[in-house]
Amino acid sequence: MTEKNRMNLATISKFREFGLLGFIVLLTIVIQFLNPAFLTLGNLTDLIKNTAILSILALGMMLVLITRGIDLSIGATLALSGMIAALTVSAYPDLHPLLAILIGILVGVVCGVVLGFLVSKVGILPIIASLGLMNAFRGLTFWVGGGEWISAYQMPSSFKNIATSSFLGINTLVIIAIIIFLYFYYFVNNTITGRQIYALGSNPDSAKISGINSHKIYMIVYTMMGGLSGLAGVLWVSKFASAQGNTASGYELTVIAACILGGVSINGGVGKVTGVLLGAVLLGVLDNGLPLIDVSPFWQMGIEGAIILVAVLFNTIVKKTVEKNNRLRRVI
Amino acid sequence: MKKFSLLSFLMLVLLTLLVACGGEETGSDEGNGDSDGGGDDAGERHAIIFKSTGNPFGEKLMEGFEDAITEAGDEAILRAPEQPTVEGQIQIIEELISQQVDSITVVGNDYDGLEPVLTKAKDRGIKVLSTDSAVNGNSRMVHVNQADPEAIGRIQIEAVAEMIDNEGQIAVLSATSQASNQNLWIEWMQKELEKSDYDNIELVEVAYGDDLRDKSVSETEALLQSYPDLKGIIAPTTVGIAAASKVITDKGLQGEVVVTGLGLPSEMAEYIENGVSPWMYLWNPIELGYLAGYTANMLVAEEITGEVGDTFEAGDLGSYEVTETEDGTEVLLGDPFRFDADNIDEWKDVY
Amino acid sequence: MSTRTINNTQEFSWKRFFLQWEWMLVALIIIIFLINSSISPYFLNYLSISDATMTFLDKAFIVFPMVMIMIMREIDISVGSTVALSSVVMASLYNAGLPMVLAIGACLLVGALCGFFNGFLLVKYRQLSAVIVTLSTMILYRGIAYMILEDQSAGEFPTWFSFFGWGYIGSVPFILVLFVVMAIGAVLLLQKTVFGRRVYAIGSNPTASRFSGVKVDKIKLIVFTLAGLMAAITAIFLTSRMGSTRPNVANMYELDVIAMVALGGISTAGGKGKMLGAILAVFVIGYLQYGLGLINIPAQMLLIIIGVLLIASVTVTNLRVKGKLQKKKSKKKVKKAS
Amino acid sequence: MSEYVLKLEGITKEFPGVKALDNVHFDLKAGEIHALMGENGAGKSTFIKVITGVHSPTSGEIYLNGEQVEFDNPKEAQYMGIAAIYQHVTNYPDLSVTENIFMGHEKIGKWTRRINWKQMHADAKSLLESLGSDLDPKTEMGSLSVAQQQIVEIAKALSSNAKIIIMDEPTAALTHRESEELYKITEQLRDDGVAIIFISHRFEDMYRLADRVTVLRDSQYIGCWDVDKITHDQLIVAMVGREIKQLFPEKQNQLGEEVLRVESLGQIGRFKDISFSLKRGEILGITGLVGAGRSELCQALFGIEPYDEGTVYFEGKKQVIKTPEDAIQLGIGYLPEDRQAQSLILQWEISHNISLSALTSISKKGWLAEKKEREIAKELAEKVDVKTKSIFDPASSLSGGNQQKVAVAKLLTTNVKVLIFDEPTKGVDIGAKSAIYQIIVDLAAAGYGIIMISSEMPEVIGLSDRIAVMCEGRVTRVLDKSNATQEAILEASMSKKVNNSKVG
């Protein structure tokens, strides 16, 4: 009985990821069938490169969601730090690109700390707090940019190279994403803080009894999210060689969608790094593949929405069935 | 109880503060220090509404408008909603009507959507004109057009044909523009392509990048993947052309695929210099704004009425005539300006 | 059993009467009026003040159901998309030859269906949170709107249709009249009916409500459907004001609505707050925005101000709730000791 | 080094409105098992939370090995070697068994600070094995049964190498065999020098294990005795404060015709094949161990989670109950076990609480009839004798017993014929307890059919006309008032399937 039970649960959680993987493969086959240009080295490189920023943000968002929170301000944070980093490099072209990245991260961290403070200390619901900050940060971005864009020619090539250069034949963006992925994998699975994030989301009351400092965890989670948004902001601006006030407007929804597709529960406690990565890849495949097979751009949003809704319902129904089966198997 | 009143008080202070610095901001930020305050006797007041804030093209357009207005000793009000929506523009126009401005110049986010509010403005005796992106003939007295859509469409085909020696596949990367001008240009492009000179040129696809960086990039990549023999991309949109050029640059396809279209010199300087885009076009937004400003002034002074055949002198720009279009009347600024490696340096810092 | 008598008449207390968040909002409105009329000579006249309501009242209809939703500890962020979808459906049907009256009916129906679908998913799958459900449908509904109209606009409505957004009854804007009527209805519904009491019960303690025979699922379904319906009414006014529509209209309306509700003193933890507060908050934000518009403040500053105002008001309400609890605690202790 | 590893002096803990502990003393020697006894609501749980640092006492001193200590948070107490197994399961359903066991004291690499999963899994495995369980430590906690989770909780306490272990009702959800297993482990721990505070309702646990017993009553310290030097009766008097018989009012109920009959009711995985009938004026006690399916049965009768099989006859007619509204419509009222979470809206005024179930009947076409509401609230509040000045006071301002009275008053607003009381005196002080008994008896005399679920045997025996004992989802025995003894109930509530345990 116990053995069976365990098998079942393990299978389910794997099943979700395999299901996702299966869906990606299926989608790939369909797209490939309709347009053979899909599975080419060049296109796959593009796909991975374009998914890099999304997956970086999705990993951060995963932690936020695990603590039963949400962060809608990341698009604005991304724009703000990208804008400030771009302004800095355009004023000081000799600045080392690493420093530019650091500036971006720093701005992001400050934004994250503000949100973390509002959520953990003041006790505002994350969705409200981040909505408010989203407005404020977006306004700030327009303000510091003075309505202007920072364009390619104003950026030193060292800065633009962050996104275009490669190391060992792999694009830097992808390398950064991989490093962050590996770090997160280690962080959430093998460090105490990482596990405490899950514990807090799984049962906030027990967490208190276990002596977990929930304020600290919220601060860490939102600060990390902010830092990652800041990093993503620099990468974004470097990649597109342009910083605008409305950069990544509404991007937070895509990020949250990637998490949800990846099986992160908004009720907290559940979410796997690999799942989130798959979720981001799925969206990447859709973004890359739909134009290739001539799907009207106006249908993309609807298709994306439908897929997300189906994924959410599918997760819930599977979970419900498993619970019922478990109960059925109990002998009275 | 004490805490409650204290907090209420704090909140009031905060609010007052916000309002106060809000007022201050207007003065310094937009460089239109003379726009706030002021009563009726400070001369006429002319307002311009762009599509959304934080757009360099719009900033320059409004700058030109302001120049024309202040030259005439009047006051310019520069507005833009935060998002490029009709709702935002309607609200701003209502606010301007309440302020009893003398003229409203609008860069429409929608061809028809502003008709009711602009009609209300006209009914209250406000002169209404549009520029850059038109609103329909009923809602405006005159449209100040950058260039003839036909010319814009045809010139881009001519350019790309010259760049690829009249042979090969080309694609268009458009926005999903709210204003109809994009589609009009593309229509003219297709008409131009019917000419026998272009028999060897094939327009393979019109893709839409939504004026979003990430989307434009993936659309460009999809074009390159789907059509390995693609020779040229026409992007009649500022975000699209820069995104497409960036992709070509990053993929090292300089010389193999050319990009042209309509772009901001500042955004495109890099790619004109590196040869991805040998040249591209745009009109001068400062001059466009300037002309719009002059036209607004003329309308308010009742020297013109927006009827066909009206003529006026627009400062340094010379003389202009109101002409007829399919829907309403317009003033045409001139042909689009060509930006290439020779002149891009002097323009990239301008806008 | 016992001879103890328990008091069931409550003495009127001025202190309690004035110690309500709503007075704070009234004060805010007065202050905004004072500031507005001092910074702009164009504010303080009847035409400005009444025309201003036309610019901000359209989305305010969604405030009524959103108050109930947030009192029930839920949230609906799909309302903006619902507005877009129902507006697009109405315009496309009319352009396809349907009489305008029927098109308006279809608009209301689509809105109600959108809301009902949200509610249905929430009730059917209790584990799902409202954030997730309405986030998905937010993308979906707008996606469908895009599928219908692509990048086209639709419109050319009959002239009488513009009455909704632009018409006056006497010299009062029609939208204001309708809003006031509905506001009175909403206040009565939430404060004076069994239905309203049950909404509060659900928000305060969903389990206890269910155990007390309150039809939690049914009420949730009704309120979410109402949210969709009100979004459709917003769509009618908005479309009427624009004379045509596009799939991208009403972008981020949910944010504005939630901001109004939060400023209205509705506690995000559920069960607290009054309809009247949210209605007053509509005018606070509306006139604040309008006043700042009259001095031509840049849009980015407006963004920052609204964002900060939202957070500040929620902070104050949060602290207020905490403060009240503490007050109660200390009072209890005294009682116990004596 | 003091003789006592743990000593508490004059501990007082006040919560808003409640004095949860009042000048309590306690001491604990190394290598002893010290039973802490007292009724529900006597303050035991709070007392544990004070020891483990979850609450800090309002006044009083704690000495650990003779040195005064103060715990600001549970971590500090844990660090000092104090571990607790709480009565309410406090685990992380989404995390693995291993993580639940080691939460707060994970094994990490010395330099890398990396969690050593391999070792943790192995340690968890051996810990569980030492408890006689072959659970896979990688299993998700949420998928385990309550009994299995309890075992993990015990393993968790053991894992921290604690010198002092507090067990709060550890045997409540365990089968006989598992309890035996636990006794052995507990004794072994004691022999290893660990001091154990053992809290239990079950006298047999205490007699079997404890060396000394401390009794709390009504938040106060009553006394501490060697287990072999106090008689059973004396102990009960210490716990209850008077002879039990005085607690229960005289019953004058007369049984009328049958009002409710259920036949082979079942709910998948919860209970099965339940049949009984209830007459007007009758009090049917349902007892059994926690997890035996008592609450689930009654919640099914009330339509909260509908039953899957079987039939319900109400006043002779076959009825289907799917929702609480159905039940209320029929005339069944339910007083939930956890009044704060399931019955009352604490921040609401008393009158609104009372009227909640009956809003439809005290309204005119959907409009609230506030005057009528106030009258009804006053009448009922007086009827059940709520100790308050005004019906406008919030329910949170009342003591536990008075809150319970409000919950009862709420049931009486609707036109009910059958009342189900789920642990009606849980967490209620002794005075209120007898008042609630009085109410129950009066209601029975007034002709209501009453089903009362209770874990407290004296209560069940003292009030019921008949007693149904449940065990593992089935009714194992129905006892008449005449043959209802503690022993008989206990025997019927123990699992017979000793060798076919579902755990392990």
Side-chain angles (χ1 to χ4, degrees), chain B residues 25-36 66 76-78, chain C residues 296:
Chain B
E25 265 333 303
T26 341
S28 55
D29 185 50
E30 295 277 305
N32 54 337
D34 45 357
S35 72
D36 56 347
E66 195 180 12
I77 296 172
L78 316 178
Chain C
N296 300 312

Side-chain angles (χ1 to χ4, degrees), chain B residues 1 3-5 7-12 14-16 18-27 29-30 32 35-40 45 53-54 59 75 77-87 90-92 94-101 109-118 120 124 175-180 183 208 210, chain C residues 15 18-21 24 27-28 31-32 35-36 39-42 45 47-48 51-52 54-56 58-59 146 151-153 156 162 166 168 238 240-246 248-253 263 284 286 288-301 303-305 308-309 312-313 315-316 319-320 322-323 326-327:
Chain B
M1 174 66 197
K3 204 166 190 175
F4 173 67
S5 13
L7 280 167
S8 317
F9 176 72
L10 278 177
M11 187 146 162
L12 285 182
L14 180 78
L15 202 79
T16 327
L18 277 172
V19 173
C21 32
E24 238 172 57
E25 265 333 303
T26 341
D29 185 50
E30 295 277 305
N32 54 337
S35 72
D36 56 347
D40 271 330
R45 283 169 312 134
T53 80
E59 301 290 325
E75 181 188 335
I77 296 172
L78 316 178
R79 297 290 300 270
E82 174 255 325
Q83 298 260 330
T85 61
V86 192
E87 303 98 285
I90 291 180
Q91 172 152 9
I92 290 175
E94 286 266 18
E95 286 158 8
L96 293 172
I97 294 173
S98 289
Q99 293 177 55
Q100 299 155 23
V101 294
N109 277 329
D110 190 277
Y111 192 65
D112 296 314
L114 292 168
E115 184 176 336
V117 73
L118 287 177
K120 176 176 174 180
R124 300 261 170 108
T176 62
S177 172
Q178 295 304 305
S180 47
N183 293 334
Y208 294 89
D210 265 350
Chain C
K15 201 172 138 192
F18 278 110
L19 201 67
Q20 296 188 62
W21 181 246
M24 167 79 184
L28 266 179
I31 288 171
I32 286 170
I35 294 175
N36 280 354
I39 56 177
S40 168
Y42 307 106
N45 62 68
L47 213 56
S48 276
D51 277 11
M54 286 175 145
T55 69
F56 62 72
D58 55 354
K59 60 191 102 169
Y146 269 108
D151 65 341
Q152 300 301 304
S153 73
E156 316 224 335
S162 69
W166 298 97
Y168 293 84
L238 186 66
S240 164
R241 281 183 72 74
M242 298 188 301
S244 70
T245 191
R246 284 184 176 280
N248 71 337
V249 297
N251 198 20
M252 296 297 204
Y253 265 30
L263 178 65
V284 169
L288 176 68
Q289 225 164 6
Y290 197 75
L292 294 176
L294 286 184
I295 57 162
N296 300 312
I297 187 172
Q300 54 264 40
M301 277 313 293
L303 265 187
I304 298 178
I305 291 175
V308 171
L309 185 70
S313 64
T315 309
V316 173
L319 291 177
R320 195 168 57 103
K322 274 186 201 161
Q326 271 158 15
K327 215 176 72 195

Side-chain angles (χ1 to χ4, degrees), chain D residues 9 40 48-49 55 59 81 99 138 146 166 200 210 222 224 228 230 268 285 344 354 371 404 421-422 439 468 478 483:
Chain D
E9 271 178 11
N40 278 328
I48 297 161
K49 286 187 175 163
H55 297 323
S59 63
E99 282 189 84
K138 287 176 189 163
V146 179
I166 302 158
S200 178
I222 301 302
C224 178
D228 46 17
I230 180 167
I268 295 167
L344 296 182
I354 291 178
K371 198 172 162 225
Q404 190 70 309
F421 292 97
D422 195 348
I439 293 168
V478 179
N483 58 10

Side-chain angles (χ1 to χ4, degrees), chain C:
Chain C
M1 282 182 182
S2 152
T3 52
R4 177 194 299 273
T5 53
I6 297 169
N7 201 350
N8 73 346
T9 48
Q10 202 169 17
E11 273 173 55
F12 183 79
S13 145
W14 282 107
K15 201 172 138 192
R16 194 166 47 227
F17 179 67
F18 278 110
L19 201 67
Q20 296 188 62
W21 181 246
E22 286 70 29
W23 283 111
M24 167 79 184
L25 292 168
V26 170
L28 266 179
I29 292 181
I30 293 169
I31 288 171
I32 286 170
F33 264 67
L34 288 176
I35 294 175
N36 280 354
S37 43
S38 70
I39 56 177
S40 168
Y42 307 106
F43 182 76
L44 209 60
N45 62 68
Y46 176 74
L47 213 56
S48 276
I49 291 169
S50 70
D51 277 11
T53 60
M54 286 175 145
T55 69
F56 62 72
L57 275 188
D58 55 354
K59 60 191 102 169
F61 289 95
I62 311 175
V63 164
F64 307 136
M66 190 65 89
V67 166
M68 299 187 211
I69 288 176
M70 283 174 67
I71 283 177
M72 291 194 305
R73 293 191 207 177
E74 306 281 359
I75 201 156
D76 185 350
I77 52 177
S78 73
V79 284
S81 298
T82 307
V83 172
L85 181 57
S86 33
S87 164
V88 162
V89 167
M90 171 172 66
S92 329
L93 286 179
Y94 175 70
N95 286 2
L98 205 69
M100 193 60 211
V101 179
L102 290 185
I104 291 175
C107 170
L108 296 174
L109 186 71
V110 167
L113 275 178
C114 287
F116 178 82
F117 187 59
N118 285 335
F120 172 77
L121 289 179
L122 273 177
V123 166
K124 169 103 192 196
Y125 303 104
R126 290 216 186 96
Q127 307 83 324
L128 284 180
S129 77
V131 177
I132 281 266
V133 169
T134 55
L135 189 79
S136 319
T137 54
M138 169 191 189
I139 300 173
L140 183 67
Y141 295 160
R142 197 173 287 278
I144 297 174
Y146 269 108
M147 285 180 181
I148 295 173
L149 266 191
E150 307 217 321
D151 65 341
Q152 300 301 304
S153 73
E156 316 224 335
F157 300 107
T159 36
W160 62 264
F161 182 64
S162 69
F163 177 77
F164 286 104
W166 298 97
Y168 293 84
I169 291 180
S171 59
V172 187
F174 172 65
I175 192 169
L176 181 60
V177 174
L178 189 72
F179 181 80
V180 169
V181 170
M182 282 195 161
I184 292 170
V187 169
L188 290 178
L189 178 68
L190 191 61
Q191 251 66 57
K192 293 287 169 198
T193 67
V194 171
F195 181 83
R197 178 72 70 75
R198 286 181 174 154
V199 166
Y200 279 105
I202 293 171
S204 305
N205 189 340
T207 317
S209 305
R210 213 156 76 79
F211 279 41
S212 306
V214 173
K215 293 173 187 162
V216 177
D217 288 354
K218 194 177 145 197
I219 288 176
K220 273 192 186 164
L221 213 52
I222 291 175
V223 171
F224 271 92
T225 309
L226 203 62
L229 194 67
M230 286 298 160
I233 287 180
T234 296
I236 293 173
F237 280 104
L238 186 66
T239 315
S240 164
R241 281 183 72 74
M242 298 188 301
S244 70
T245 191
R246 284 184 176 280
N248 71 337
V249 297
N251 198 20
M252 296 297 204
Y253 265 30
E254 52 277 349
L255 167 61
D256 296 347
V257 171
I258 291 170
M260 289 169 186
V261 175
L263 178 65
I266 281 78
S267 152
T268 45
K272 282 254 158 65
K274 290 201 182 118
M275 184 64 82
L276 185 63
I279 290 167
L280 289 171
V282 167
F283 290 94
V284 169
I285 292 187
Y287 279 114
L288 176 68
Q289 225 164 6
Y290 197 75
L292 294 176
L294 286 184
I295 57 162
N296 300 312
I297 187 172
Q300 54 264 40
M301 277 313 293
L302 205 63
L303 265 187
I304 298 178
I305 291 175
I306 299 286
V308 171
L309 185 70
L310 173 64
I311 289 174
S313 64
V314 177
T315 309
V316 173
T317 32
N318 265 22
L319 291 177
R320 195 168 57 103
V321 170
K322 274 186 201 161
K324 264 196 176 169
L325 281 181
Q326 271 158 15
K327 215 176 72 195
K328 225 170 262 160
K329 276 181 201 168
S330 53
K331 213 165 138 194
K332 260 309 287 186
K333 262 182 203 163
V334 176
K335 215 187 218 173
K336 195 85 182 177
S338 58

Side-chain angles (χ1 to χ4, degrees), chain A residues 53-64:
Chain A
I53 292 180
L54 176 62
S55 55
I56 290 172
L57 290 169
L59 287 170
M61 185 62 83
M62 179 186 82
L63 294 190
V64 174

Side-chain angles (χ1 to χ4, degrees), chain A residues 65-141:
Chain A
L65 293 176
I66 284 174
T67 61
R68 306 186 175 191
I70 198 163
D71 186 351
L72 299 179
S73 71
I74 57 169
T77 308
L78 189 156
L80 182 61
S81 40
M83 179 61 87
I84 289 177
L87 280 169
T88 317
V89 292
S90 71
Y92 307 99
D94 296 332
L95 203 71
H96 195 274
L98 267 180
L99 236 79
I101 293 183
L102 274 180
I103 289 171
I105 295 179
L106 197 72
V107 174
V109 162
V110 171
C111 295
V113 165
V114 173
L115 179 58
F117 177 80
L118 289 175
V119 169
S120 80
K121 294 281 179 196
V122 188
I124 303 181
L125 219 61
I127 191 168
I128 305 270
S130 59
L131 268 181
L133 287 185
M134 169 175 126
N135 265 5
F137 293 158
R138 184 66 70 185
L140 270 179
T141 312

